[in-house]
Amino acid sequence: MAHANSDPNNFHGQRVKACPLALLLIDVINDLDFPESDQLLRYVLPMAERIVHLKRQAKQHAIPVIYVNDNFGKWQSNLPNLVRHCLNGSKGKPLVEMLQPDEDDYFIVKPRHSGFFGTSLDLLLEDLKVETLILTGLAGNICVFFTANDAYLRHYKLIVPRDCIASNTQEANDTALEQMQQILKADTSPSTELNLPEILAK
């Protein structure tokens, strides 16, 4: 786990600031280089626009933003290389241009579908004193869904804004949202209806 653009000469990094709420961006640093990406592309940019607004609100209320991103099977993956690769003419370039991490964001590389499997996400959330997670990103019916399941098993409260996740088809996305709402007790209200100060005050 690292800050997005942490100074390599600053060994100790920045101290985390506790907050009961965190915003997770799952697999949004993505070249979309896979067979089904053409299906997904039509939903990606509207999703990204909503995430941009939600991230801006989170920053205004000092809510930590955590990028949890696939390593694409490359164990030497790191944020600068991933961003550089995606911006170099990939299908995912417009997505990454909109959602590049800021200097004070956190970035965790995951090897599998869930953001918790084989990562330091658990430890970071514990350090931040997080109780509620807002999950956004790709794909709603795979990596967001697996991360939501693992979060629920760890007793986190879940918010999955329905306009901030995307899957290959609307049907698959709707099914995942229904499962997360019914089984994982997630709030799936659209991001436009979220009142972050009210959630923080609970």
Side-chain angles (χ1 to χ4, degrees):
M1 179 271 296
H3 277 89
N5 297 302
S6 53
D7 181 354
N9 297 315
N10 181 5
F11 178 78
H12 296 288
Q14 302 178 46
R15 297 291 297 174
V16 297
K17 184 177 179 181
C19 182
L21 182 63
L23 172 62
L24 269 60
L25 280 67
I26 299 169
D27 286 347
V28 298
I29 308 302
N30 199 317
D31 61 9
L32 299 179
D33 183 20
F34 48 87
E36 302 85 5
S37 64
D38 287 337
Q39 294 175 270
L40 186 60
L41 270 170
R42 75 186 81 170
Y43 305 113
V44 162
L45 294 185
M47 173 207 74
E49 289 174 1
R50 296 313 317 163
I51 295 176
V52 167
H53 289 293
L54 183 58
K55 180 180 174 182
R56 189 176 299 129
Q57 292 178 54
K59 296 281 189 175
Q60 290 171 355
H61 298 287
I63 295 167
V65 175
I66 305 170
Y67 285 71
V68 184
N69 218 88
D70 199 272
N71 70 359
F72 301 109
K74 299 176 182 178
W75 287 97
Q76 293 178 322
S77 294
N78 61 67
L79 176 61
N81 287 344
L82 283 173
V83 171
R84 193 179 305 113
H85 165 72
C86 293
L87 292 177
N88 188 26
S90 75
K91 285 184 182 179
K93 181 179 178 180
L95 168 69
V96 177
E97 284 178 331
M98 294 174 69
L99 293 174
Q100 289 189 60
D102 297 317
E103 186 173 349
D104 59 343
D105 294 336
Y106 297 94
F107 187 84
I108 290 175
V109 173
K110 65 181 177 67
R112 296 291 185 269
H113 303 317
S114 171
F116 288 92
F117 183 84
T119 77
S120 57
L121 180 57
D122 238 349
L123 295 174
L124 174 59
L125 295 175
E126 182 181 334
D127 229 17
L128 290 168
K129 311 298 182 189
V130 171
E131 299 171 1
T132 301
L133 297 175
I134 303 175
L135 303 186
T136 68
L138 307 171
N141 64 329
I142 304 175
C143 293
V144 175
F145 184 71
F146 274 83
T147 301
N149 273 283
D150 279 357
Y152 180 75
L153 293 175
R154 289 164 171 79
H155 304 291
Y156 289 103
K157 297 174 185 175
L158 292 172
I159 300 171
V160 187
R162 61 178 53 253
D163 55 348
C164 290
I165 68 169
S167 306
N168 289 350
T169 68
Q170 191 61 51
E171 181 182 9
N173 212 54
D174 290 344
T175 299
L177 283 163
E178 183 179 357
Q179 292 286 304
M180 288 186 280
Q181 182 182 40
Q182 292 185 358
I183 299 173
L184 308 182
K185 316 303 179 189
D187 178 352
T188 60
S189 303
S191 61
T192 51
E193 295 180 10
L194 296 181
N195 185 326
L196 298 185
E198 186 176 285
I199 296 168
L200 284 168
K202 289 182 179 178

